[in-house]
Amino acid sequence: MATQTPTQAVLDKTAQSKPRRLWLDTVHEWLTTVDHKKIGQMYIGYALVFLLVAGLEALLMRIQLAIPNNTFVSPQVFNRLFTMHGTTMVFFVGMPILFGFGNYLIPLMIGARDMAFPRLNAFSFWISAFGGILLYFSYLGGDGLYGAGSAPDVGWFAYAPLTARVFSPGHSTDYWTLSLLLSGIGTIGTALNIVATTICMRCPGMKLNKMPLLVWLYLVTSLMVFVAVSPLTAAQIMLLLDRYLGSHFFDTQAGGSALLWMHFFWIFGHPEVYILVLPAFGFASEIIPVFSRKAIFGYPAMVAATIGIGFISLSVWAHHMFTVGLGAWGNTFFTFATMIISVPTGIKIFNWLATLWGGRIHLVVPMLFAVGFLFQFLIAGLTGIMLSAAPFDWQLGNSYFVVAHFHYVLVGAILFMIFAASYYWYPKMTGRMMSEKLGKWHFWLFLIGFHLTFDFMHIPGILGMPRRIYTYEADRGWMILNMIVSSGAVFQTIGSLIFVYNLIRSYFNGEIAGPDPWDAWTLEWTTTSPPPVYNFATTPSVESRRPLWDLKHPEDPDSSYE
Amino acid sequence: MSLSEAAVIPHSSNEPWKLPSRGVVGMVCLIIAEAAIFIIFVVAYVFYLGKSLTGPMPRDVLELPVVSTICLLSSSITVHMAVHTLQHGKRSACSLWLALTVLLGSIFLAGTAREWYQLIYHDGLTLQTNLFGTTFYSLVGLHATHVVVGLFLLSLALLFSLRGQVTTTHAARLEVLSLYWHFVDGVWVVVFLVVYVFGR
Amino acid sequence: MSATSPIYISASQGWSSLAALFQQAPSSAPTSIFSPAGTPAHSAFTLSMLVLSITLAIFLVVAGLLLYVLLRYRHRSSAMLSVQEPAQIYGSNQIELSWTVIPALIAVVLFLATARVIFSTESAPKPVNALDVTVIGHQFWWEYRYPKLGVVTANELHVPVSGPSGAGQSIPTYLTMSSADTDHSFWVPRLAGKTDLIPNKVNTMWIDPQAPGLYLGQCAQYCGTQHAKMLLRVYADTPAEFAAWIARQQKPAAEDQTAAEGRAVFQHNACINCHTVAGTVATGRFGPDLTHVASRDTIASGAVPNTAANIRAFVNNPAYFKPGALMPPMHLNDHDLDAVTTYLTTLK
């Protein structure tokens, strides 16, 4: 089964003269673009900036917590730091970067020219971007630059009635509410675009069961966005009405319910974390097969598992509320639903494992991160099962064990796959390879830092350390562990900076990539790197899930087996 | 940029490749998202029924808004007729049906305004009065806001139609707009049943 | 398999003894969930050992397979394009079925074990001799009321020690909890899992410390600026100690003549608007009850030891120990400050 050279391109081969352009022209082009590739890259760049900012916030917190009774930052500043760190990472790093990759890749992977609604696409980006800037303006917008500022300090989940006017005077909570309302509109717009594009713009022959798994995962993610982000929007409108128009949605003095906010928030919050992780699964389902040199094992099962996860994730939200007094039957139901979601999730891990089995595994940098993802997501899932057992959660909930668990998912699984996706698709976006050597430094430093921080972080939770405390007592036995946890942050910072340096340097010095540097099989690798603005000179037509494999192996195409 | 090689996948399929319309899919997605927002407000309304500590209760102050409801639900029929006539190229009939839709929607809004005037000035019920006031005005108000947006868009369509700028090629877009209007009417059915029938 | 079947009972007894091997020494880890000292904490601990064993087993199997696969199928040459591709396997229905059914079965078993503990903790019938305590969470202190004994105190909870369950000496303490402002959470890990204190909602939980001593914890639901210093101290007293403590707490405030001046300062300042000193004009409910404040080991909800110097510093400026605490600085001159401090130290 020898590989064959793909057929020659029928591209426009007239030499393209590149006139000298004013800097302003370039800025104007990017500001007014409706091209999904540019918008995707703007999302990614924007998210990387916020990754560094929120990472700095984390570093400041870890310095404060390294020793007990530390006075590096005041309690007020610390409370703002953890609120801003969480809010930024979820809404202005995680969501934009994942939707950025989706924006870039989906039309290319389905043989389309752009997204279904290019202007809506641009609008969604800019409104989300404005939301992020509004959130950070809060540092300045209140008491001014000198030692204060109105950054929100109510936690990223902003429980009522702490957010009521009486307990949170001033405008900090309103910055939180408004910036997320805006970015929520952007998210719903992008999700709408993804669904419409996926359903209405696939190239001929690409039936739904022939789409790359990444596209399936983004489709389910986007459908979940409609049902999950809207409850947060509704709850935030209610909060604004309470704070400004004197309504009583969460006003316990008027008979209102603090629990109602929690339900609404977590009806958003739990599917939200699946919205963040499903695209990471999509990256894994594209990258792992290519570097195992095998097709993904069990495509139909993977699709079914994804849809299963999408549905079940809508029914587990109150596992964040095991301690609020739901009653034995309530706690039992949510324990059950949460344990059940481990089944489709496990199916995914097993299918990736089976893809690796019998393959020829190339441990290049994207694959290193994907392997890290596999181990770390396994552990994250298992600590999730521990937390799903309500009586165990009565001890572990709201402690550093939970913080360790969710960072294991967000950093160990999602961020690792974002790194993998970056190294894997950077050549397509820029036409150049990233430095493999710097990539390995990034991987190993970050891996060591990640495990130092987040492995050890489970233990203070077991020893009784709750979340969101700006300091702790010296007699609890938490000091050494906190120091180790804080030390890992240093390695992660250095690793991340190497990554950013690699991104910038490779743009100018990287090896030329060509259209298909990884010998992959999906449609984005059939066009040039970077693709022309129209993506494909002629609309492709496909007969299997791996059109390039069929071309490279005409004697043994996938279409015979599907 | 030097010449680069990229693979081209040849056309091989002769079967027609027909996918759903982007506008319809997009509007359905928007409707799902908006429905989710409304559901949360309905849940809050139902959850707080009977829990107000003071003030007027629903059965004290609410009357069935029969006329408004008939007008709004009929406007679904008229907007459907507008789309139908446009699909068949009858532009002036389309203008007429659109005008009727806008009129019926406006009567609905006027009815809501009258009802609220009564509630605020004669019954003393505001958003701040109690949990019923909070959930009632926010739910009905959210719906009314969606009616306003819909009327604005329908008026625009009416304007273009009267100026002779609308043809059969625009029928698909008008149909997408009518989907939104049907959704707004559907929400009213739920609000009507929850607030005025079961909740009173 | 019912909860009373012999297999189940001996399995859970075997579990408990195995689990006991993992319990920790409490002195170095006074808030460890792995050194339970009461029945709810014990049930959670035993269940946690089951959960940990199952998840550890799953981890060893799956991670082991992953490691094996990476080592066995690793490609060593650097050239990617020139090698033959391995056999392309697209899937297998039997394998998919097996790794759907087996995890589902494990999940069901785990769920049943968990459901049993949920119900045994939350639906346990309340013994008639249980002690009732009402707990009200405030920003940033704990209010304790013993309704049947007429005692009101703050921040340090005294309960009678409770013999092992079923041994006839069980005197659990039933906590009825709510909040006066934002959400809080009562977490003393060695005694029980946490339960939240939520305004306009009443939650209940029970504790039964099996050995006398001091059990530590802290608020576990972010409630504002000084959430970190809303500490918990639960004293499990022997029956004699507890009876003596109750008797002292039931008395009105001590009227020590040497503190007359301080008492006057206290009663002529805003102190009485927020604090209660039983038997005097001070009937404020916003701040902790100070009737027997000198009988406590700590002040500021466990943040600092109860010494005259600390009391003085706190009254002078609460933000010195707890920046963000809701008590404002009282702006007393030094003389009055000393007098009030003396007064407070006499309120035993």
Side-chain angles (χ1 to χ4, degrees):
Chain A
M1 276 189 286
T3 51
Q4 289 192 339
T5 354
T7 48
Q8 294 288 5
V10 182
L11 284 180
D12 180 359
K13 294 193 179 184
T14 53
Q16 292 180 11
S17 60
K18 281 210 151 168
R20 293 284 316 270
R21 298 174 60 190
L22 295 175
W23 175 82
L24 261 178
D25 278 335
T26 310
V27 170
H28 178 260
E29 185 191 332
W30 282 82
L31 284 177
T32 57
T33 186
V34 296
D35 173 26
H36 72 101
K37 297 183 288 299
K38 289 210 171 60
I39 293 175
Q41 288 169 316
M42 285 197 288
Y43 267 119
I44 294 172
Y46 173 90
L48 285 175
V49 169
F50 275 106
L51 178 68
L52 295 175
V53 173
L56 176 65
E57 285 161 345
L59 205 53
L60 293 173
M61 285 194 280
R62 284 318 320 170
I63 295 173
Q64 166 67 12
L65 290 175
I67 56 173
N69 292 312
N70 202 357
T71 50
F72 178 66
V73 293
S74 71
Q76 291 89 340
V77 169
F78 186 89
N79 296 342
R80 286 180 203 127
L81 286 174
F82 72 69
T83 303
M84 292 294 275
H85 169 80
T87 308
T88 307
M89 284 296 197
V90 172
F91 294 100
F92 300 109
V93 178
M95 300 290 270
I97 204 166
L98 293 166
F99 281 110
F101 273 101
N103 238 312
Y104 192 94
L105 292 171
I106 291 170
L108 284 169
M109 283 182 151
I110 62 173
R113 191 238 181 278
D114 204 312
M115 292 287 252
F117 302 109
R119 282 170 298 188
L120 176 65
N121 207 4
F123 170 74
S124 300
F125 171 72
W126 289 107
I127 201 172
S128 295
F130 179 61
I133 293 171
L134 185 65
L135 180 68
Y136 274 83
F137 183 73
S138 66
Y139 274 117
L140 305 174
D143 305 333
L145 283 165
Y146 300 96
S150 239
D153 60 353
V154 289
W156 90 279
F157 38 86
Y159 273 179
L162 185 61
T163 48
R165 252 274 149 77
V166 61
F167 297 113
S168 287
H171 295 302
S172 60
T173 303
D174 303 315
Y175 279 105
W176 180 87
T177 313
L178 287 167
S179 67
L180 294 189
L181 268 172
L182 292 173
S183 82
I185 294 173
T187 304
I188 293 179
T190 306
L192 195 156
N193 238 323
I194 291 176
V195 174
T197 307
T198 308
I199 300 213
C200 309
M201 294 178 65
R202 282 167 284 129
C203 64
M206 189 178 282
K207 303 196 204 135
L208 283 174
N209 66 351
K210 304 264 182 255
M211 294 196 304
L213 271 179
L214 183 143
V215 183
W216 262 113
L217 281 150
Y218 270 98
L219 177 63
V220 174
T221 302
S222 302
L223 289 169
M224 286 172 69
V225 163
F226 302 134
V227 185
V229 175
S230 304
L232 179 66
T233 306
Q236 288 174 324
I237 294 173
M238 293 175 180
L239 180 64
L240 281 174
L241 289 174
D242 270 13
R243 284 177 61 86
Y244 282 97
L245 294 183
S247 61
H248 305 294
F249 283 104
F250 309 115
D251 177 5
T252 48
Q253 299 294 310
S257 166
L259 244 62
L260 199 65
W261 171 271
M262 289 188 203
H263 278 296
F264 290 162
F265 185 86
W266 288 114
I267 286 173
F268 152 76
H270 192 81
E272 166 68 11
V273 307
Y274 282 95
I275 288 168
L276 289 171
V277 90
L278 288 185
F281 291 169
F283 301 152
S285 303
E286 297 300 322
I287 293 174
I288 292 175
V290 167
F291 296 111
S292 315
R293 307 310 303 159
K294 280 179 69 210
I296 187 82
F297 188 94
Y299 176 104
M302 290 293 250
V303 172
T306 306
I307 296 174
I309 291 174
F311 270 110
I312 303 176
S313 75
L314 301 173
S315 69
V316 303
W317 77 88
H319 66 224
H320 299 270
M321 296 164 61
F322 278 142
T323 57
V324 306
L326 295 171
W329 285 106
N331 287 335
T332 305
F333 170 77
F334 286 102
T335 294
F336 178 72
T338 311
M339 286 183 177
I340 286 301
I341 207 171
S342 66
V343 176
T345 315
I347 289 175
K348 285 190 163 288
I349 298 183
F350 301 139
N351 275 288
W352 287 315
L353 213 162
T355 307
L356 290 165
W357 192 287
R360 208 153 277 137
I361 302 171
H362 296 262
L363 289 174
V364 290
V365 173
M367 191 58 164
L368 285 174
F369 280 103
V371 168
F373 157 82
L374 283 171
F375 280 102
Q376 284 148 197
F377 184 65
L378 172 65
I379 295 175
L382 293 174
T383 55
I385 291 182
M386 293 178 207
L387 290 165
S388 74
F392 203 6
D393 184 78
W394 293 334
Q395 290 282 31
L396 295 173
N398 249 341
S399 77
Y400 263 85
F401 190 91
V402 175
V403 181
H405 160 74
F406 69 69
H407 280 91
Y408 236 85
V409 189
L410 290 167
V411 182
I414 296 174
L415 187 59
F416 267 65
M417 279 325 294
I418 289 173
F419 287 144
S422 303
Y423 286 92
Y424 184 64
W425 278 295
Y426 183 93
K428 176 55 55 181
M429 294 185 190
T430 62
R432 301 214 181 225
M433 306 296 286
M434 288 180 76
S435 155
E436 188 77 2
K437 182 150 160 283
L438 283 177
K440 289 200 159 101
W441 273 99
H442 169 205
F443 172 73
W444 289 106
L445 279 172
F446 200 88
L447 188 76
I448 291 169
F450 170 79
H451 284 281
L452 268 176
T453 298
F454 297 110
D455 288 4
F456 285 91
M457 194 185 275
H458 291 87
I459 306 177
I462 292 174
L463 296 183
M465 183 173 179
R467 296 169 73 163
R468 305 170 146 193
I469 53 177
Y470 70 93
T471 189
Y472 51 93
E473 301 298 297
D475 62 354
R476 302 288 213 243
W478 302 335
M479 182 172 88
I480 307 282
L481 294 160
N482 270 287
M483 291 189 114
I484 300 174
V485 167
S486 295
S487 70
V490 175
F491 288 88
Q492 290 175 72
T493 307
I494 301 176
S496 305
L497 291 173
I498 293 179
F499 172 64
V500 173
Y501 174 70
N502 197 352
L503 283 172
I504 299 173
R505 185 162 161 252
S506 305
Y507 187 77
F508 301 104
N509 287 355
E511 192 191 315
I512 303 286
D516 181 19
W518 307 115
D519 194 7
W521 305 307
T522 39
L523 282 177
E524 76 269 29
W525 305 106
T526 68
T527 182
T528 58
S529 301
V533 73
Y534 47 81
N535 293 348
F536 301 97
T538 50
T539 307
S541 154
V542 303
E543 280 166 15
S544 76
R545 292 170 192 148
R546 298 190 294 170
L548 258 188
W549 170 278
D550 289 357
L551 270 182
K552 293 175 187 173
H553 303 268
E555 75 292 346
D556 187 30
D558 267 2
S559 39
S560 329
Y561 298 96
E562 284 176 10
Chain B
M1 187 182 82
S2 60
L3 301 176
S4 44
E5 300 166 355
V8 136
I9 318 290
H11 280 275
S12 57
S13 173
N14 291 323
E15 299 149 13
W17 181 248
K18 191 83 179 62
L19 291 171
S21 116
R22 291 181 292 153
V24 171
V25 172
M27 182 52 75
V28 169
C29 291
L30 182 66
I31 287 173
I32 296 174
E34 295 278 350
I37 297 183
F38 274 104
I39 287 175
I40 296 296
F41 276 92
V42 169
V43 166
Y45 187 86
V46 171
F47 181 76
Y48 280 139
L49 275 176
K51 295 211 173 75
S52 293
L53 298 179
T54 65
M57 295 296 154
R59 72 177 70 86
D60 302 332
V61 297
L62 286 185
E63 285 164 11
L64 274 181
V66 179
V67 173
S68 304
T69 304
I70 292 176
C71 286
L72 190 67
L73 296 184
S74 313
S75 68
S76 254
I77 302 173
T78 56
V79 79
H80 173 77
M81 289 310 300
V83 173
H84 185 79
T85 49
L86 187 60
Q87 280 166 344
H88 293 270
K90 302 191 207 129
R91 196 181 29 82
S92 42
C94 174
S95 298
L96 178 65
W97 287 113
L98 278 176
L100 269 177
T101 310
V102 173
L103 178 66
L104 288 167
S106 306
I107 297 176
F108 170 83
L109 277 182
T112 303
R114 213 163 128 264
E115 181 198 28
W116 285 23
Y117 184 87
Q118 174 83 10
L119 287 170
I120 293 170
Y121 290 105
H122 294 188
D123 298 312
L125 180 75
T126 67
L127 190 73
Q128 300 177 356
T129 309
N130 56 9
L131 290 172
F132 165 55
T134 291
T135 51
F136 172 81
Y137 283 108
S138 55
L139 177 59
V140 176
L142 187 69
H143 176 261
T145 312
H146 283 72
V147 172
V148 167
V149 168
L151 284 181
F152 173 71
L153 293 170
L154 285 166
S155 303
L156 268 182
L158 174 62
L159 182 69
F160 290 137
S161 184
L162 288 172
R163 287 167 55 131
Q165 289 169 313
V166 168
T167 67
T168 4
T169 51
H170 301 110
R173 292 189 201 182
L174 190 63
E175 187 183 1
V176 169
L177 177 57
S178 77
L179 279 178
Y180 173 80
W181 192 250
H182 291 311
F183 166 68
V184 169
D185 284 2
V187 171
W188 181 251
V189 171
V190 173
V191 172
F192 180 81
L193 288 173
V194 168
V195 174
Y196 295 95
V197 177
F198 297 121
R200 241 177 354 140
Chain C
M1 188 187 281
S2 84
T4 49
S5 77
I7 302 172
Y8 199 101
I9 289 178
S10 54
S12 66
Q13 276 171 349
W15 241 167
S16 303
S17 358
L18 191 65
L21 288 174
F22 288 93
Q23 284 182 233
Q24 276 178 305
S27 55
S28 55
T31 49
S32 167
I33 67 174
F34 284 171
S35 51
T39 312
H42 253 297
S43 316
F45 175 75
T46 315
L47 177 68
S48 72
M49 289 296 121
L50 175 68
V51 174
L52 282 170
S53 314
I54 294 180
T55 51
L56 183 66
I58 296 173
F59 175 75
L60 290 173
V61 169
V62 181
L65 281 170
L66 261 171
L67 206 55
Y68 169 75
V69 155
L70 287 169
L71 294 170
R72 165 102 169 70
Y73 295 105
R74 188 176 163 185
H75 174 73
R76 271 146 229 289
S77 156
S78 54
M80 278 197 69
L81 291 169
S82 56
V83 191
Q84 258 197 348
E85 306 281 30
Q88 301 294 302
I89 315 279
Y90 298 92
S92 153
N93 282 340
Q94 291 102 312
I95 296 182
E96 296 289 352
L97 201 61
S98 64
W99 65 43
T100 307
V101 169
I102 296 174
L105 287 174
I106 297 176
V108 168
V109 166
L110 194 53
F111 165 69
L112 290 172
T114 307
R116 184 166 165 262
V117 176
I118 294 175
F119 278 90
S120 73
T121 309
E122 293 204 276
S123 306
K126 186 174 161 186
V128 279
N129 64 338
L131 174 69
D132 279 313
V133 177
T134 305
V135 184
I136 300 174
H138 295 260
Q139 284 181 317
F140 306 100
W141 59 279
W142 305 90
E143 177 181 345
Y144 299 117
R145 309 176 87 85
Y146 298 68
K148 296 187 186 131
L149 300 170
V151 170
V152 177
T153 183
N155 294 327
E156 294 184 1
L157 177 64
H158 283 254
V159 298
V161 81
S162 184
S165 277
Q169 253 299 105
S170 183
I171 318 173
T173 302
Y174 266 70
L175 304 177
T176 305
M177 315 199 292
S178 188
S179 168
D181 39 42
T182 59
D183 298 334
H184 303 275
S185 191
F186 187 95
W187 191 29
V188 180
R190 295 192 61 211
L191 294 182
K194 62 185 67 66
T195 302
D196 291 356
L197 288 79
I198 296 173
N200 201 25
K201 185 181 202 298
V202 176
N203 282 336
T204 56
M205 63 177 279
W206 56 280
I207 55 174
D208 62 346
Q210 305 282 294
L214 171 61
Y215 297 92
L216 299 175
Q218 61 190 96
C219 178
Q221 181 66 271
Y222 179 61
C223 49
T225 315
Q226 277 298 327
H227 162 66
K229 296 246 178 206
M230 195 169 154
L231 306 176
L232 282 163
R233 298 172 71 86
V234 178
Y235 293 81
D237 295 330
T238 63
E241 282 170 354
F242 185 70
W245 182 82
I246 289 284
R248 283 198 304 274
Q249 297 291 315
Q250 282 171 331
K251 296 201 184 96
E255 289 241 354
D256 193 326
Q257 289 312 312
T258 59
E261 196 191 345
R263 189 180 322 121
V265 172
F266 186 90
Q267 291 177 353
H268 289 106
N269 273 286
C271 318
I272 59 173
N273 292 330
C274 288
H275 293 286
T276 296
V277 179
T280 72
V281 298
T283 52
R285 299 264 306 256
F286 190 73
D289 186 300
L290 298 177
T291 312
H292 301 282
V293 62
S295 69
R296 300 184 203 142
D297 292 335
T298 60
I299 57 168
S301 192
V304 287
N306 188 354
T307 64
N310 284 343
I311 292 182
R312 190 185 195 281
F314 189 81
V315 173
N316 185 39
N317 181 17
Y320 180 71
F321 294 123
K322 279 179 108 161
L326 295 182
M327 174 168 157
M330 298 311 294
H331 299 303
L332 298 174
N333 59 47
D334 281 338
H335 178 81
D336 286 347
L337 201 51
D338 287 330
V340 161
T341 305
T342 309
Y343 171 57
L344 291 171
T345 58
T346 66
L347 292 176
K348 295 217 194 314

